[in-house]
């Protein structure tokens, strides 16, 4: 369900003819990412062996944070190269 909603949001963004349509696509995609973020950590904690539950959930959150850090670093590098 979450992946389907995300694809719908991506299609709306890709075919947007106005900024309003593009923002609607971003909103739909954001809802899907929020849904998937909640469901994945829930699924991990339910399916993992008891001795690994906390570790897997913590590593999942750490990797999300690391991805945000890398994206910010790439953004800063690209911004500096343009100016």
């Amino acid at each position: 369900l979450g992946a389907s909603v995300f694809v719908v949001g991506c299609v709306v963004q890709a075919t947007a003819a106005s900024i309003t349509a593009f923002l609607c696509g971003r909103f739909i995609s954001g809802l899907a990412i929020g849904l998937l973020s909640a469901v994945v950590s829930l699924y991990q904690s339910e399916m993992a062996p008891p001795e690994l539950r906390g570790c897997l959930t913590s590593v999942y959150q750490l990797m999300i944070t690391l991805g945000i850090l890398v994206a910010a670093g790439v953004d800063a590098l690209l911004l500096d190269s343009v100016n």
Side-chain angles (χ1 to χ4, degrees):
L1 176 68
S4 300
V5 174
F6 183 71
V7 168
V8 168
C10 289
V11 169
V12 171
Q13 290 176 69
T15 60
S18 68
I19 191 72
T20 305
F22 182 76
L23 291 176
C24 286
R26 293 286 292 181
F27 181 75
I28 293 168
S29 295
L31 288 176
I33 294 300
L35 171 72
L36 291 170
S37 294
V39 170
V40 165
S41 63
L42 177 67
Y43 180 75
Q44 278 181 334
S45 63
E46 288 293 327
M47 298 305 294
E51 62 273 5
L52 292 178
R53 284 185 187 150
C55 180
L56 287 177
T57 304
S58 297
V59 168
Y60 173 72
Q61 293 299 324
L62 179 66
M63 291 300 115
I64 289 175
T65 305
L66 182 63
I68 293 169
L69 177 66
V70 168
V74 169
D75 184 46
L77 288 173
L78 292 175
L79 184 63
D80 287 342
S81 69
V82 170
N83 293 333

